[in-house]
Amino acid sequence: MNIQDPTLSARTGSIDMAHGGGGRATAELIADLFQHHLTNPILDQGNDAALLPPVAGRLVMSTDGHVISPIFFPGGDIGSLAVHGTLNDVAMAGAEPLYLTVGFILEEGFPLADLEKIVISMARAAEAAGVPIVTGDTKVVEKGKGDGVFITTTGLGVVPDGVHVSVERAEPGQAILLSGSLGDHGVAILSKRENLEFETEIRSDSAALHTLVAGMISAAPGIAVLRDPTRGGLAATLNEIARTAKVGIHLEENAIPIKADVKAACELLGLDPLYVANEGKMVCLCEPGDADAVLAAMRAHPLGRDAALIGTVTEDDAHLVEMETEIGGVRVVDWLAGEQLPRIC
Amino acid sequence: MNIQDPTLSARTGSIDMAHGGGGRATAELIADLFQHHLTNPILDQGNDAALLPPVAGRLVMSTDGHVISPIFFPGGDIGSLAVHGTLNDVAMAGAEPLYLTVGFILEEGFPLADLEKIVISMARAAEAAGVPIVTGDTKVVEKGKGDGVFITTTGLGVVPDGVHVSVERAEPGQAILLSGSLGDHGVAILSKRENLEFETEIRSDSAALHTLVAGMISAAPGIAVLRDPTRGGLAATLNEIARTAKVGIHLEENAIPIKADVKAACELLGLDPLYVANEGKMVCLCEPGDADAVLAAMRAHPLGRDAALIGTVTEDDAHLVEMETEIGGVRVVDWLAGEQLPRIC
């Protein structure tokens, strides 16, 4: 993948409706910007569809739209986020991600220089992950009918033999592991949005988790459930698991890692870190006998250094998520009915 | 797939920001609307990623954003179009489409009743095509930051052994076949937009072409190139082929099928049908010795009844698309630099 500075003919201009018209302007945008930065043998085939070699094994597909605002933020941008987000959804099926596709919806007037920054960021994230972007599409809407750029990515992956990761496999008695501290992404976005400054800059945790997952699976191929607590945070993820698998969840507040500055920012902003989005963290449910091995594998990876055992799956006909608080009480961690942080991913 | 009328709790309301928040409102929207209408065993797994059985053979992936305006039009809507458009991109690789994914970007205030109509339309189109929608994603943006609904679909398909359809295989001497008449989709959209009425309603040709492709490939497995002339119309498609494969194109205007009412509407609207988008037509390049067999296979399919031999691939260092006009002259069919019809797909 070539991520050098280009000689982009249109790099100083902005998106106009012609870039979405399917004619010469569209072709030039694709060649000068997308193909230039994202180049790989499959993308360079130049067909509307990407032709891929055969893949042996069960496949996984996942798709995710990205509408985050602001599009540039501490720790990332909409481009790297769109790569990481979909890689992670594929990885949460226990799969090795193989290919990505990307669809851009651009607003008339969006600066080409910003678009180029985003495409370079996607190229870097894809290259670092070892997963090529194999085909794409660009549409343009009139000024006022979009918001700069929206990016939908889709990932294809393959599940190793013997691995069966699925939310339905959650069962009472399983250990609940968390790969690191909560709330970094959501707090970074909100701080940027509100122009808040803290002593140390809080950065998004946006990262690709598939190599961490691979390490965990080789430590314990029987892992039952993997989920990344993005929108709605850990609370939404655990409630989804509880509802789908018809189990209860018991958490220990003491055990949940949250960075001191994130905690302080949450207090200032009136946020509960359990509900704040993360983009580089995961929850893992496994048999209690596997917990030590999985935790060790997590802690051996740079993205899992702060991994912790945070609770257990319980039997509960009400499918509640309950948390033993720091002061010893028990609190129900319900879903939020409404929106806590709009456009966080 | 269940496409019956639902008892959708929220069917009379509209999209609010909470539907994109990842909490309870998002989960209810997914359960009551998306899962209800699109239900199939893979979608119903309830994971962020869809787990698919192994697929033997070369794979094809394609992605397409849909931002068409208006979202409901004669002959279809943004939902059926999003299914057909991506199925066709997969089919243009000579592949059998197997699975679709869908990403919605919804604007706050969008009526849930309209969203439901669109989802039902997607369900019907997917069911008719025999291709399930296996996973999806929903994001919501504030009022004024989107335009009702944008839909990005991604398709996965498998290429039969022995089939090698790719634009680089275009070679001088090959026959150029067109599966039917030009311009229906673009004229239908523009008529609706401009509130024009004609004696007979002009309807979009939006349709899934994969079974037509399968018939053509069994008639002549050596087919070189397939392309659907969508944005930018036949002119953009043939110029792309000429540029990519470094060939020239010779067309016979007489041979190009255009319906009388579409032709009349184009004259009225100041459009050249060669540049108008189609959503249920394809161009096929094959060896001249295969042309009769492929044409017969096309005409045997309801979507290829009006198929015609419209030209030949030539040697031309300038990679021009030239057309012998009805009155015997020769005209260069250049790319449009700008936008002819914005948001046509």
Side-chain angles (χ1 to χ4, degrees), chain A residues 52 59 65 138 142 231 343, chain B residues 52 59 138 142 231 343:
Chain A
L52 312 171
L59 301 175
T138 307
E142 303 88 344
R231 278 186 294 183
R343 297 184 60 184
Chain B
L52 312 171
L59 301 175
T138 307
E142 302 88 343
R231 277 186 294 182
R343 298 184 61 186

Side-chain angles (χ1 to χ4, degrees), chain A residues 23-314:
Chain A
R24 191 189 294 271
T26 306
E28 283 175 1
L29 182 72
I30 291 171
D32 291 353
L33 208 153
F34 297 117
Q35 228 151 29
H36 181 90
H37 290 296
L38 300 172
T39 181
N40 63 66
I42 300 174
L43 186 74
D44 299 345
Q45 290 163 359
N47 289 297
D48 282 343
L51 181 64
L52 312 171
V55 176
R58 290 164 298 154
L59 301 175
V60 156
M61 265 183 113
S62 190
T63 200
D64 237 338
H66 298 84
V67 299
I68 193 164
S69 172
I71 54 177
F72 300 103
F73 50 83
D77 56 61
I78 193 171
S80 53
L81 184 72
V83 169
H84 295 155
T86 291
L87 288 178
N88 290 349
D89 280 346
V90 170
M92 294 307 118
E96 177 197 353
L98 300 175
Y99 304 106
L100 287 171
T101 70
V102 57
F104 292 93
I105 296 176
L106 304 170
E107 185 191 10
E108 185 185 11
F110 187 64
L112 278 164
D114 283 350
L115 183 58
E116 185 172 27
K117 262 198 255 176
I118 289 164
V119 173
I120 289 173
S121 170
M122 295 191 83
R124 288 197 173 126
E127 192 180 29
V131 181
I133 294 170
V134 293
T135 189
D137 177 65
T138 307
K139 293 294 187 303
V140 178
V141 296
E142 303 88 344
K143 202 161 180 58
K145 301 292 187 185
D147 194 17
V149 54
F150 301 142
I151 304 180
T152 300
T153 42
T154 304
L156 182 70
V158 62
V159 187
D161 282 344
V163 172
H164 296 276
V165 175
S166 177
V167 70
E168 284 159 27
R169 288 192 55 220
E171 273 180 26
Q174 289 170 343
I176 303 175
L177 311 176
L178 178 64
S179 67
S181 67
L182 288 186
D184 303 26
H185 176 74
V187 168
I189 300 306
L190 202 63
S191 306
K192 170 94 182 171
R193 240 184 245 170
E194 310 281 332
N195 264 319
L196 295 177
E197 287 196 18
F198 301 102
E199 258 178 62
T200 51
E201 185 183 57
I202 296 174
R203 296 170 66 80
S204 167
D205 58 347
S206 177
L209 296 168
H210 59 300
T211 57
L212 173 54
V213 168
M216 293 160 63
I217 283 176
S218 35
I223 284 173
V225 179
L226 296 170
R227 273 285 169 117
D228 53 341
T230 56
R231 278 186 294 183
L234 184 67
T237 296
L238 293 180
N239 272 286
E240 246 182 85
I241 293 173
R243 192 175 80 154
T244 307
K246 303 184 187 354
V247 295
I249 302 274
H250 177 84
L251 296 177
E252 302 275 348
E253 185 169 23
N254 275 328
I256 299 175
I258 303 172
K259 291 176 188 155
D261 53 355
V262 171
K263 202 168 192 165
C266 279
E267 278 167 20
L268 191 74
L269 294 162
L271 296 174
D272 182 336
L274 293 180
Y275 294 87
V276 176
N278 312 277
E279 290 291 346
K281 297 294 159 24
M282 88 179 96
V283 174
C284 169
L285 273 54
C286 66
E287 292 309 315
D290 283 339
D292 284 344
V294 177
L295 259 185
M298 290 168 101
R299 288 175 179 157
H301 191 285
L303 294 174
R305 270 193 309 252
D306 302 324
L309 172 68
I310 61 165
T312 51
V313 182
T314 60

Side-chain angles (χ1 to χ4, degrees), chain B residues 82-92 97 99-100 125-126 129 131 208-210:
Chain B
V83 169
H84 295 154
T86 291
L87 288 178
N88 290 348
D89 280 347
V90 170
M92 294 307 118
Y99 304 108
L100 288 170
V131 180
L209 295 168
H210 59 300

